[in-house]
mmCIF file of all heavy atoms in Angstrom:
data_model
loop_
_atom_site.group_PDB
_atom_site.id
_atom_site.type_symbol
_atom_site.label_atom_id
_atom_site.label_comp_id
_atom_site.label_asym_id
_atom_site.label_seq_id
_atom_site.Cartn_x
_atom_site.Cartn_y
_atom_site.Cartn_z
ATOM 1 N N LEU A 24 -28.608 138.124 106.212
ATOM 2 C CA LEU A 24 -27.692 137.632 105.194
ATOM 3 C C LEU A 24 -27.791 136.109 105.021
ATOM 4 O O LEU A 24 -27.633 135.576 103.927
ATOM 5 C CB LEU A 24 -26.265 138.059 105.461
ATOM 6 C CG LEU A 24 -26.002 139.538 105.216
ATOM 7 C CD1 LEU A 24 -24.578 139.906 105.672
ATOM 8 C CD2 LEU A 24 -26.175 139.902 103.762
ATOM 9 N N GLY A 34 -31.114 126.938 99.869
ATOM 10 C CA GLY A 34 -30.922 126.354 101.146
ATOM 11 C C GLY A 34 -29.515 126.671 101.657
ATOM 12 O O GLY A 34 -28.639 126.982 100.851
ATOM 13 N N CYS A 35 -29.362 126.636 102.982
ATOM 14 C CA CYS A 35 -28.035 127.066 103.474
ATOM 15 C C CYS A 35 -27.825 126.556 104.904
ATOM 16 O O CYS A 35 -28.448 127.039 105.862
ATOM 17 C CB CYS A 35 -27.955 128.590 103.461
ATOM 18 S SG CYS A 35 -26.342 129.250 103.741
ATOM 19 N N SER A 39 -22.399 126.084 104.924
ATOM 20 C CA SER A 39 -22.625 126.784 103.655
ATOM 21 C C SER A 39 -22.686 128.287 103.894
ATOM 22 O O SER A 39 -22.224 129.071 103.056
ATOM 23 C CB SER A 39 -23.924 126.321 103.005
ATOM 24 O OG SER A 39 -23.811 124.977 102.590
ATOM 25 N N ARG A 44 -20.363 133.706 103.228
ATOM 26 C CA ARG A 44 -19.745 134.917 103.708
ATOM 27 C C ARG A 44 -18.357 135.105 103.101
ATOM 28 O O ARG A 44 -17.937 136.247 102.807
ATOM 29 C CB ARG A 44 -19.695 134.929 105.245
ATOM 30 C CG ARG A 44 -21.115 135.145 105.818
ATOM 31 C CD ARG A 44 -21.123 135.190 107.328
ATOM 32 N NE ARG A 44 -20.801 133.881 107.825
ATOM 33 C CZ ARG A 44 -20.089 133.624 108.909
ATOM 34 N NH1 ARG A 44 -19.560 134.645 109.620
ATOM 35 N NH2 ARG A 44 -19.838 132.426 109.321
ATOM 36 N N TRP A 46 -17.568 134.108 100.088
ATOM 37 C CA TRP A 46 -17.861 134.592 98.758
ATOM 38 C C TRP A 46 -18.201 136.078 98.786
ATOM 39 O O TRP A 46 -17.729 136.852 97.947
ATOM 40 C CB TRP A 46 -19.056 133.784 98.166
ATOM 41 C CG TRP A 46 -19.518 134.355 96.870
ATOM 42 C CD1 TRP A 46 -19.061 134.102 95.636
ATOM 43 C CD2 TRP A 46 -20.577 135.344 96.703
ATOM 44 N NE1 TRP A 46 -19.735 134.847 94.708
ATOM 45 C CE2 TRP A 46 -20.666 135.598 95.341
ATOM 46 C CE3 TRP A 46 -21.420 135.984 97.576
ATOM 47 C CZ2 TRP A 46 -21.586 136.511 94.819
ATOM 48 C CZ3 TRP A 46 -22.342 136.923 97.108
ATOM 49 C CH2 TRP A 46 -22.397 137.164 95.717
ATOM 50 N N ARG A 68 -25.969 140.270 91.238
ATOM 51 C CA ARG A 68 -24.556 140.097 91.562
ATOM 52 C C ARG A 68 -24.242 138.664 91.889
ATOM 53 O O ARG A 68 -23.141 138.202 91.618
ATOM 54 C CB ARG A 68 -24.191 140.973 92.721
ATOM 55 C CG ARG A 68 -24.269 142.456 92.386
ATOM 56 C CD ARG A 68 -23.855 143.278 93.572
ATOM 57 N NE ARG A 68 -23.681 144.664 93.161
ATOM 58 C CZ ARG A 68 -23.929 145.680 93.969
ATOM 59 N NH1 ARG A 68 -24.222 145.463 95.225
ATOM 60 N NH2 ARG A 68 -23.753 146.895 93.533
ATOM 61 N N GLY A 83 -4.234 130.025 106.307
ATOM 62 C CA GLY A 83 -3.524 128.935 106.953
ATOM 63 C C GLY A 83 -2.485 128.292 106.013
ATOM 64 O O GLY A 83 -1.403 127.973 106.440
ATOM 65 N N TYR A 86 0.431 130.719 105.559
ATOM 66 C CA TYR A 86 1.213 130.732 106.804
ATOM 67 C C TYR A 86 2.126 129.509 106.874
ATOM 68 O O TYR A 86 3.317 129.615 107.189
ATOM 69 C CB TYR A 86 0.301 130.803 107.991
ATOM 70 C CG TYR A 86 0.998 130.866 109.340
ATOM 71 C CD1 TYR A 86 1.427 132.056 109.868
ATOM 72 C CD2 TYR A 86 1.242 129.680 110.071
ATOM 73 C CE1 TYR A 86 2.079 132.111 111.066
ATOM 74 C CE2 TYR A 86 1.880 129.727 111.294
ATOM 75 C CZ TYR A 86 2.287 130.952 111.801
ATOM 76 O OH TYR A 86 2.943 130.982 113.003
ATOM 77 N N GLU A 87 1.555 128.338 106.515
ATOM 78 C CA GLU A 87 2.349 127.105 106.607
ATOM 79 C C GLU A 87 3.461 127.095 105.571
ATOM 80 O O GLU A 87 4.584 126.678 105.879
ATOM 81 C CB GLU A 87 1.429 125.911 106.396
ATOM 82 C CG GLU A 87 2.094 124.584 106.663
ATOM 83 C CD GLU A 87 1.136 123.415 106.748
ATOM 84 O OE1 GLU A 87 -0.093 123.616 106.824
ATOM 85 O OE2 GLU A 87 1.646 122.286 106.736
ATOM 86 N N PRO A 108 -34.278 135.964 113.706
ATOM 87 C CA PRO A 108 -34.368 134.697 113.018
ATOM 88 C C PRO A 108 -35.608 134.723 112.120
ATOM 89 O O PRO A 108 -36.524 135.491 112.326
ATOM 90 C CB PRO A 108 -34.518 133.671 114.121
ATOM 91 C CG PRO A 108 -34.003 134.348 115.333
ATOM 92 C CD PRO A 108 -34.288 135.798 115.157
ATOM 93 N N TRP A 122 -36.156 136.615 96.138
ATOM 94 C CA TRP A 122 -37.054 135.469 95.934
ATOM 95 C C TRP A 122 -37.394 135.334 94.447
ATOM 96 O O TRP A 122 -37.416 134.241 93.888
ATOM 97 C CB TRP A 122 -38.269 135.595 96.798
ATOM 98 C CG TRP A 122 -39.127 134.378 96.839
ATOM 99 C CD1 TRP A 122 -40.296 134.131 96.172
ATOM 100 C CD2 TRP A 122 -38.889 133.224 97.629
ATOM 101 N NE1 TRP A 122 -40.761 132.902 96.476
ATOM 102 C CE2 TRP A 122 -39.944 132.313 97.381
ATOM 103 C CE3 TRP A 122 -37.883 132.814 98.528
ATOM 104 C CZ2 TRP A 122 -40.038 131.036 97.962
ATOM 105 C CZ3 TRP A 122 -37.956 131.582 99.134
ATOM 106 C CH2 TRP A 122 -39.034 130.723 98.863
#
Side-chain angles (χ1 to χ4, degrees):
L24 288 174
C35 191
S39 293
R44 288 181 291 143
W46 172 86
R68 293 182 170 151
Y86 182 86
E87 190 168 347
W122 191 259

